[in-house]
Amino acid sequence: MATDQEKNKQLMIKLLERPGNGSCVDCGAADPEWASYTLGVFVCQSCSGLHRNISQISKVKSVLLDPWSDAEVEFMASNGNNAAKAKYEQKVPVFYYRPTHTDCQLLREQWIRAKYERKEFVCVERQEPYSAGYREGFLWKRGRDNGQFLSRKCILSERDGALKYYNKHDAREPKALMKIHTLNASFQPGKIGQPHGLQVTYLKDNSTRNIFVYHKDGKEMVDWFNAIRAARFHYLQVAFPGAHHLVPKLTRNYIKEGYMEKTGPKHTEGFKKRWFTMDDRRLMYFKDPLDAYARGEVFIGSKENSYIVLPGLPPSTQGYHWQFGITIVTPDRKFLFTCETEEEQQDWMAAFQGLVNRPMLPQEYAVEAHFKHKP
């Protein structure tokens, strides 16, 4: 006969089949095998580790490996992921970033803390740090020339339509004024070398400018990120009244980043190794991943507008070290790149092909026109 232990394990496995329980309550990863027996939710292994950081609220066990008591099984059965979402996510602002299993640990941990520890989405007044339309504070910013991180006063103001930072704490004029309508923010802990590292970009004379910032306090950094998203949301609501699908446009992660080699417009120069960032239809290249400005930008349009992506290089090409070539044909010229491995070549090809296969939006024609008139 099955022991009580075995019976409870089977009951727990059965609970995973209920609607909502088949994916992690926090990040959406499929087939969670852990559970919080104090919150009554099923989570993936990665999020179970983050729940351990709030052990006064959430206690986790393995569904398959740990023993379960009758009372615990009963509690799990009377709760579950859908019930927990209805309770803990009832007032998540539309602009607030909901992380997935592919996001960095900081975003996922702060989402879990915001939900269960701070109960931000039950009490709206706790959302003040990112929903007020104004935010002021100090962030560590990487120096453009020396690479040192220095404390800088930052102000985000929806009324002014800008994020500003000041080189001196008592300075009257900001060092940079980043208009909300071109602002983007993306967590880049690996690239920046800080677990809370955020890359902020904006357009200056229609060229991309990068700044890299972090704060030692993870909540502070995620609050800044969501404040930027809130400001962008309110700007877009005014700029495009009645428009739907604004949330995907608030901030964006890069389609792909990494090293490739490139040659110049005449294809006679030697190939140089550069760091490339694919930001929507802008392919930018940098000497160093943390450069403030790109050395150059290439617009990738659609096949209807004569943009083509081809594997390999023209037969006469010389001066390259990496063997896996890519040729991008635009209406004006060909761009030649090489990748170190075949896998990298395939990944870049897929990224480029995705853009080429996507019809261009009216506003993208204006961006393309500007690229054509660049000196």
Side-chain angles (χ1 to χ4, degrees), residues 8 107 207 231 244 278 322:
N8 284 345
L107 274 170
S207 290
H244 302 293
M278 189 80 243
W322 290 350

Side-chain angles (χ1 to χ4, degrees), residues 94-95 230-243 246 250:
V94 65
F95 59 77
R232 292 262 307 147
F233 181 66
H234 297 138
Y235 161 77
L236 290 170
Q237 277 185 311
V238 175
F240 305 101
L246 293 180
L250 300 185

Side-chain angles (χ1 to χ4, degrees), residues 145-178:
D145 302 316
N146 60 10
Q148 273 185 301
F149 281 90
L150 298 166
S151 177
R152 294 287 180 254
K153 180 175 157 187
C154 299
I155 295 176
L156 175 69
S157 168
E158 280 187 22
R159 197 182 64 193
D160 298 344
L163 171 64
K164 298 173 261 194
Y165 81 84
Y166 297 79
N167 258 5
K168 294 193 167 59
H169 295 180
D170 56 355
R172 297 178 66 136
E173 291 300 313
K175 176 69 176 165
L177 188 142
M178 309 166 230

